[in-house]
Amino acid sequence: PMPEDITALSCVFRAGRQGADTDHSSILFDVDVATGQFRGGTTNAHWYRLGLWETLPGRCPWRSTHGYTHHPDGEIPITGKTVPDIQGMLK
């Protein structure tokens, strides 16, 4: 494929958590691919819940909301910030 044949459909800033051994505990902030602006963030820990018990109603939140505007480790503001030259990075 040629570079012009490839299009970024989505972008996310995956921010790790203090004290976490892996990024399985992280906050993911949506990034607008057109403007580079950070949008609301969500968690991903529920992706890694294993076992039949977790499939029962009320045990695992299969959907999450994008209510984070700050990184919870230090209350660092993220939403509204912009990735510089995102269009250049996506080329």
Side-chain angles (χ1 to χ4, degrees):
M2 302 299 291
E4 59 271 10
D5 295 333
I6 300 169
T7 302
L9 301 177
S10 64
C11 182
V12 67
F13 169 55
R14 189 170 184 153
R17 298 295 312 273
Q18 182 177 359
D21 292 331
T22 70
D23 63 354
H24 291 181
S25 176
S26 61
I27 307 293
L28 295 85
F29 289 90
D30 186 25
V31 180
D32 185 311
V33 293
T35 66
Q37 186 175 48
F38 289 98
R39 295 180 177 164
T42 188
T43 61
N44 67 340
H46 61 287
W47 295 353
Y48 303 100
R49 294 175 71 168
L50 303 174
L52 184 58
W53 177 253
E54 296 300 330
T55 65
L56 297 175
R59 292 289 309 152
C60 183
W62 295 106
R63 296 177 187 250
S64 60
T65 61
H66 289 79
Y68 285 91
T69 59
H70 291 63
H71 191 289
D73 300 333
E75 287 301 311
I76 302 161
I78 304 292
T79 298
K81 304 269 186 194
T82 304
V83 176
D85 190 31
I86 193 165
Q87 290 305 310
M89 284 190 257
L90 296 174
K91 289 183 180 180

